[in-house]
Structures are given as structure tokens and as C-alpha cells.
Amino acid sequence: MVDVSEGQSSAQAPAGARTPVGRPLLSLTLASMMDEVHAHSGAVYLLSPDLPVLEMAVMAGLPRAFAAPWERVGLSAPIPVADAVRDRRLVWVGGEEEMARRYPRIAMVLPYPFALAALPVATATRAYGAVFVTWPGTRPQELSDAERDHLTAACDRLAVRLERAAEQSLPLAGEPDLPAAPLVGDTAGTLGSLEAARMVSRLPYGLCSLDVHGRVGFANAAAAELLDVPAGRLLGTHLWALVPWLNDPVYEDRYRAALLSQHVTSFVALRPPHEWLSFRLYPSTTGLSVRITRARAVAETNRSAPPPVGAGTRLVTISQVLGLAGALTEAVGVQDVVQLVADEVVPAVGGQGLVVLGSRAGRLRVLGHRGYADPEVVEWYDGMPLSEPTPGGQVLRTGVPAFFGNRAEIERLYPALVRLSDFSAWAYLPLIASGRPVGTCVLSYASPHHFATEERAVLTSLAGLIAQALERAVLYDAKHRLAHGLQEALLPHTLPPLAGIEAAARYLPATQGMEIGGDFYDLVPAQGMAAAVIGDVQGHNVTAAGLMGQVRTAVRAYTTVGQAPEDVLRSTNRLLLELGSDLFASCLYLRLDPAHGRAVMSRAGHPPPLLRRPDGRVRVLDLAGGPLLGIDGSAAYPSTEVDLSPGSLLVLYTDGLVESPGTDFEDALADLGRRLTDLGDLPLDDLADALVQDGAAAEGRPDDVAVLLLRAVPPD
């Protein structure tokens, strides 16, 4: 387990009484680690002392903006550094394809060829944080044993140093991010700087030098002429910030791609009014060299118009929105949305609390909340009329966000709102999807917070993504409740008591689709005897469930009029064909006669039942049978009589109990037989639970599971 709540010792000195750790511990460790394995970028994260959140402390080799969406991440986030801390292991991602497969959120924001290793910084008893390092995509796909050893040893040493600092109550001093690696060698000794400048100035094409942050460090006269900007103004600025027609995230993205992948990249851009320029970027670990020329031929697929001035959005903002959008696509139900917003959005924007409000019948409903020590503070909203003067209701009604940087601001507008808990700032964001409000997202901050214009725009954009996810989730939950209500209505709530027969049944829906299916079972008293049936209608949807209900009703009706087992299946088969359904059904029907110790069975394409004798021996009943119901109107379903002496146990099941991808059906039946031999003397309800235990614990069930157990007992 990761220790995220361990505080400092009560005997420690008060804040400020100890001198911070003097040497730049994190920076030196990261630089040494990168040098040992020839990585070109990396970062150190520290675990928050009171929250399950990793916070970036130092970044090296690349601008921090590259990792902006992940500067603060929850421990539950599906990204490499969080996985490394949770699992206490090294996480290796060998390239962009593996990144897209395992961590699609990162691949969506940084779709470039690079490799990454993430490791925990932890001792045997406590986790302190994590480290990641990256390499260009040209490196080998596998991490060598020597590299693993170097990285692991460095992280272990750092964890020990952090542990000692904590024991001595020595806080870590803030450390600046590390610049790129220095140039190798001394170029001034081989080529005079003045002569180099003269040589570059004579070239017929433009040349620029950018550092790892994208700032211009040099530009020759040709570059200034092509960009139509004096060389003196270029120095120290970003090209896309100074040159209006380059103010497009697409062009900045090429710079990022070159720097992160260390591959040469290029693009063309239109300099107004009609001249196309070609940009070719040559990367190294210290920055980029850019060659600018006139494009002689531009394909029709290139841009035909310049991007409007001022229309470009900073890529870091787009990256944040994309990363969180990827997270929200994984949400299924309403509680999934609440959990993901709490884990991903709240830490990313620096918040500490969350409330998601919806509405029904003109009243506010609390859909979920996180971070509130006193739940009553949130529950106070539940059921409140929308007409009440509250910020949550006001925002939901009007669709206009509200930001309160401190308690005084919210109390001035809403004096009756006294239940504000311990938070000090709030962002009330309207959740609008398909043109209508679906709720309000309330982000709460522990300290007063200034909401700058850019931040308000980002939060409003995120609210739109949350709204779409919430709208889908509400619809899913409604369908889910409908499906389960239908399923419960179609299956028997209890099994009737029968003389001479003990019975128990279990049903597990498939976890794919709507979690509803066509498996069914029933137990019907009939003229001094009893009838049992189990079946499986093809499909996992409402149509399959509806047809299952019709089949079960038909079997009951034919049983009531006294038809023999083979006649019940023949009649049900004809009914299925008359209904005109494209679905088929398997079925196993039994007429039980416990007074005479026998059972008569007919089978329609259903898996064979198992019989456990009183002495513990188990065998598969190889019954004669006919095809699936709903295929052939002239099909016959011959019956077989089986001895059912007291103590005998019949196990009826659907194929979801024994079939799974990669498992042989015969092997699965043999395994089920062995389990019945070992567990068959258990009380029937305990045995039923044991048989479906593996399926109940599985994260993904591709098929329904139904089990009906029948044990013959001596008559009273």
C-alpha cells in the first residue's frame, strides 16, 4: 500500500525552524540519472503529504509545458508515474504504438515517437514520489538490464535521502527546472564566431536557432527577411508568438514533435497574402536549428488561407483539454464521471473538493461529491428547489458560470448560504450538453484563488466535456435500471418448495452491453410432480430478454396442461418459429418424480447436465436431444429417463458457467465435475455461491451465467 497520509512526527520542529536541504537534491539526482542512461528529458514528482496526488517538482531537458496536463496527477490516474507508485515497479513504454495501446491519454496529447521509463521513489515502508525519463524514438525498443539497474538504484538512493530529510524535519528547498544538456565540445575553437556569423549571413536561405523552450537565440538576415520581422525583434521570442501567421498550434506542435522525438520534422505555412514558406526543423538535446526557404510547390491539401490573427490557442491548453477528454471517454455511469472528475480534473486545476449537481422535477439533486469532510454540507443541497437563491441553482438555470475567489465574494451575493464548509474559493460551472443544462460542477479550493481570464476559459471548456460525459452517463444509468428491472421481472423471485426436492438458483448478467441477457430458469409444481427448465436465448439485449420471457411463459403453460418433456420442447419450438424472431434458444427441460426417484429430460441444443451421486461420483449426462429451438419446425426432442435416488444432485447450467475464451469445453466440464466432487455435500445455497464465485469476481463476463441445482431428499 502507498502511504499517502503519514504526517510528520509530533516532535518535529515548527515550520521554519529547520534549514531546508541545502544541495539541489532532486535536480542532481535527475541529472545524474539521465546522464547514466543517456535520456534526454525527465522529471521528479513528489507525493503530496496529505492528498493522494503526485506533484511535479523538477523537470529537465524539455519545457515544463510539455507535461503541463500532468503537473499534478491523482494516484489513481492511468499514467506511467501513477502506475509506478501504485504498483511499486518500473513502468517501461518502448514507443508510440505501445504508448497508444497502454496510455491513450498521453499518446493523444503527445503523439510522437519516444520511449519512457517511470519508477517509484519509495522505501520499504513509504512512497515519496516518482521519476520518469524519456528517450528519442530511435533508441532500442527494450530497456537493458544495466539501464534498469542504474535507474532503480538512483531512485532507491533518492528515497533514502528523502526519508532521512523527513526524519530530521528538513524541508526540501524549491528547485528550478534543469536546462538542456550543454553543448559537447568547443565550437569556438574550431570556427571563429565572427566568421561563422559571416558565413551564415551569406547563405541564401533563412536560419534560426531555438532553445528547448522555443525561444529564438539566433536568426540570420535571410530569416528576418522571409519572416518579415527585424532580426533584433526575433531574439528571445517565440516565433509563433511574434509572427501572427505562425500563431497556430499546428506549427508549435511540429516544434514539440521534433524536440521530443529528436527526428527532423517540417511544415509549410502561408505568409500573407500568397507566399508559401517551408520550415525544416533539425533537433538536438539543446534545441532546434530551423531552415526557412520559399516553397516552390505546395500540394492542394496544404492550407489555402492563413490562420486568423489571434485565433491560435496555446497548445498547453489544448493538451490539458485533450488529456481530460480522453479520461472522460472512459466513464460509463454517473458515478464513473464523478470519480474521474475527482481524480483527473480537480487535481489538474488545483482544487480540493468537488460537487456534481443535477436536477429533477425542479429540484437540485446531488449526483456525487468528493473532498468534503462533512457530507451534510453537500446533502443540504439535495432536494432544494431551483428557485432558491443558491449559486448551484442559479448557474444551472442560466447557464452562466460563477467564480468566487474568497468567502466574502460568495457571502455578499448569497447571504443565506451559510453551509460553506472549510473551503475558501469556488468555481460553479454550468454543464450544458445538446443545448440544455444537465447539471452544475462545483470545484472547491482550500485557499482563496484568483480565477484569471485564461483559467476561466479553460474551466468552461472542461465543463463542456464533463457535461457531454454526464449526459451519456445519465442515459446509460437509465437504460441500466430499465434493463435490470426487466430482467428481475422476467426471472422468478423465489423457487417454490417441492416435496422431495431441494432447489437453489443463481443468475449473473453479462458485464458487456446492457448487462442483460436471455438466460432463464424456472421450477414449476405440476400434478404431484415438478418440472424444471433452464435455457439461453441468443443475445444480450432487451430483445433477447423479452423473447426469454415469452419462452419461459410458454414452457410454464405447456407444463400446466400436462405435456410430456419432448412435447413441451416441440410446442415451444413451433411457437418460436411462429413469433418470427431471428433469435434461437437452447433449452433443457426436466420432469421430476422424486416419489419414484427418477427424472425424465429432453434437451434442445443445451449443454448437458451433471449428476452427482450420493457417494460423490460425478458424471456428465450424455442425453439424446434435438437442435436449438427456432430453427426447424419438424425437429424432435427425444427424452431420457435418469435415476434420481435420495442424495443425488442435478446441476443444470448455461454455457456462461463453463465457456470462456481460450478454454476447451471438455476441460471446463471436467473441472466443474471435480469441484462438484469436492463441494457437493455443502448446503445447496453455499454450493450455488461457490459455483458462480469465479464468474462473480471477474471484471468482464462476456456471457450470462445461470445455475439451477436440484437435490433429491428423502420424503418427510
Side-chain angles (χ1 to χ4, degrees):
M1 293 293 289
V2 176
D3 181 342
V4 297
S5 60
E6 179 180 339
Q8 295 178 336
S9 169
S10 59
Q12 72 179 49
R18 293 276 186 163
T19 303
V21 176
R23 302 178 64 203
L25 173 61
L26 305 181
S27 301
L28 289 176
T29 300
L30 182 59
S32 174
M33 188 183 305
M34 292 169 56
D35 183 62
E36 286 177 342
V37 297
H38 307 293
H40 84 301
S41 75
V44 179
Y45 286 80
L46 294 180
L47 193 58
S48 172
D50 52 1
L51 291 172
V53 173
L54 289 166
E55 299 177 323
M56 185 183 292
V58 176
M59 179 117 186
L62 290 174
R64 184 176 285 243
F66 276 46
W70 309 287
E71 283 196 69
R72 299 181 78 250
V73 297
L75 272 183
S76 59
I79 68 172
V81 288
D83 284 353
V85 176
R86 286 199 313 270
D87 302 336
R88 298 292 187 93
R89 64 181 177 87
L90 186 152
V91 176
W92 168 250
V93 183
E96 60 181 326
E97 292 184 4
E98 187 178 1
M99 184 69 77
R101 183 175 67 254
R102 295 173 56 190
Y103 301 102
R105 301 184 199 176
I106 295 178
M108 184 165 55
V109 178
L110 300 173
Y112 317 126
F114 69 98
L116 178 145
L119 301 91
V121 177
T123 62
T125 58
R126 181 176 176 182
Y128 291 89
V131 170
F132 79 76
V133 292
T134 69
W135 295 261
T138 53
R139 66 151 288 136
Q141 288 282 317
E142 298 297 329
L143 194 64
S144 70
D145 290 342
E147 289 172 324
R148 286 178 179 269
D149 292 343
H150 280 308
L151 293 171
T152 303
C155 287
D156 289 345
R157 290 192 298 269
L158 177 58
V160 171
R161 294 289 303 277
L162 292 174
E163 183 177 52
R164 290 174 181 169
E167 290 172 350
Q168 299 174 29
S169 303
L170 297 178
L172 291 175
E175 300 181 27
D177 289 349
L178 293 175
L183 288 170
V184 178
D186 183 8
T187 56
T190 58
L191 178 66
S193 58
L194 179 60
E195 184 56 31
R198 289 172 177 170
M199 178 188 73
V200 171
S201 68
R202 291 192 291 265
L203 293 175
Y205 46 81
L207 285 178
C208 287
S209 175
L210 309 183
D211 65 12
V212 292
H213 297 281
R215 295 186 294 257
V216 178
F218 172 83
N220 67 356
E225 179 183 355
L226 289 169
L227 295 173
D228 196 23
V229 176
R233 290 188 58 200
L234 288 172
L235 298 182
T237 66
H238 296 89
L239 285 179
W240 45 85
L242 185 63
V243 182
W245 44 273
L246 286 179
N247 188 15
D248 189 316
V250 172
Y251 304 143
E252 186 183 356
D253 180 63
R254 295 296 82 207
Y255 142 77
R256 291 171 176 267
L259 205 56
L260 190 58
S261 68
Q262 293 291 292
H263 288 176
V264 176
T265 62
S266 61
F267 63 90
V268 292
L270 178 64
R271 189 186 76 176
H274 49 67
E275 185 168 28
W276 289 92
L277 299 182
S278 173
F279 293 77
R280 193 162 182 83
L281 285 60
Y282 299 86
S284 75
T285 57
T286 60
L288 298 172
S289 296
V290 183
R291 188 181 73 172
I292 309 171
T293 59
R294 288 181 172 83
R296 297 182 181 276
V298 179
E300 288 299 322
T301 54
N302 287 111
R303 293 178 178 267
S304 58
V309 176
T313 306
R314 302 300 298 159
L315 189 62
V316 61
T317 301
I318 293 177
S319 299
Q320 289 173 325
V321 173
L322 284 175
L324 295 169
L328 289 168
T329 59
E330 300 174 8
V332 178
V334 169
Q335 291 309 308
D336 294 331
V337 173
V338 174
Q339 188 66 50
L340 273 168
V341 173
D343 291 345
E344 304 290 336
V345 177
V346 174
V349 301
Q352 287 76 40
L354 168 73
V355 181
V356 179
L357 301 171
S359 66
R360 186 169 66 249
R363 294 181 178 271
L364 285 175
R365 298 297 177 189
V366 177
L367 303 180
H369 61 89
R370 297 291 187 276
Y372 283 77
D374 183 3
E376 291 186 3
V377 173
V378 178
E379 293 166 1
W380 178 72
Y381 281 101
D382 201 53
M384 181 175 292
L386 286 175
S387 56
E388 286 288 320
T390 64
Q394 175 74 10
V395 167
L396 196 151
R397 289 196 312 272
T398 63
V400 179
F403 300 93
F404 304 97
N406 53 60
R407 297 176 70 92
E409 291 182 6
I410 196 169
E411 289 175 348
R412 183 170 60 252
L413 293 175
Y414 300 96
L417 193 64
V418 294
R419 296 175 179 267
L420 295 175
S421 72
D422 295 326
F423 291 108
S424 300
W426 297 264
Y428 285 80
L429 308 173
L431 303 179
I432 300 175
S434 304
R436 65 183 184 85
V438 296
T440 301
C441 177
V442 186
L443 300 174
S444 306
Y445 298 77
S447 304
H449 186 90
H450 172 66
F451 296 96
T453 302
E454 182 179 355
E455 184 179 5
R456 295 184 183 211
V458 172
L459 292 177
T460 304
S461 298
L462 292 178
L465 298 174
I466 296 169
Q468 294 176 23
L470 184 63
E471 183 184 44
R472 292 192 303 268
V474 169
L475 181 60
Y476 174 85
D477 283 350
K479 290 182 177 179
H480 196 266
R481 288 192 296 270
L482 172 64
H484 276 263
L486 176 61
Q487 189 86 54
E488 291 175 1
L490 294 176
L491 290 174
H493 295 287
T494 59
L495 297 176
L498 300 173
I501 295 290
E502 284 184 351
R506 295 292 184 271
Y507 173 79
L508 298 176
T511 57
Q512 299 178 3
M514 292 184 65
E515 297 189 15
I516 185 173
D519 288 15
F520 66 96
Y521 60 86
D522 207 353
L523 191 60
V524 186
Q527 303 173 357
M529 295 188 290
V533 62
I534 192 166
D536 182 0
V537 176
Q538 172 192 13
H540 306 100
N541 50 37
V542 174
T543 302
L547 187 61
M548 173 267 281
Q550 292 176 299
V551 171
R552 178 173 165 248
T553 301
V555 169
R556 266 186 168 264
Y558 298 137
T559 297
T560 303
V561 299
Q563 287 190 359
E566 59 268 29
D567 294 328
V568 170
L569 290 188
R570 274 200 298 266
S571 299
T572 306
N573 180 47
R574 288 195 295 269
L575 173 66
L576 210 58
L577 289 167
E578 290 170 2
L579 290 174
S581 172
D582 293 331
L583 302 180
F584 309 130
S586 69
C587 190
L588 177 64
Y589 182 86
L590 294 76
R591 184 62 59 87
L592 303 169
D593 187 357
H596 296 89
R598 64 173 189 164
V600 180
M601 311 180 188
S602 287
R603 184 163 69 104
H606 199 81
L610 275 68
L611 175 65
R612 185 185 190 272
R613 293 296 184 187
D615 60 6
R617 291 180 300 163
V618 177
R619 69 185 181 97
V620 178
L621 298 180
D622 187 16
L623 307 176
L628 294 169
L629 303 176
I631 294 179
D632 181 5
S634 61
Y637 301 92
S639 60
T640 303
E641 184 173 317
V642 177
D643 176 67
L644 194 64
S645 56
S648 299
L649 172 67
L650 275 172
V651 179
L652 285 59
Y653 57 92
T654 56
D655 52 11
L657 181 69
V658 293
E659 289 186 353
S660 60
T663 302
D664 181 77
F665 180 74
E666 298 296 332
D667 292 341
L669 272 186
D671 180 64
L672 178 59
R674 286 190 291 270
R675 296 177 67 193
L676 287 174
T677 299
D678 297 337
L679 306 174
D681 292 325
L682 290 173
L684 218 52
D685 280 319
D686 293 342
L687 177 59
D689 289 336
L691 292 181
V692 300
Q693 181 178 9
D694 291 342
E699 291 186 2
R701 285 189 301 275
D703 201 358
D704 306 16
V705 176
V707 175
L708 179 59
L709 305 180
L710 305 168
R711 178 182 281 158
V713 296
D716 295 335

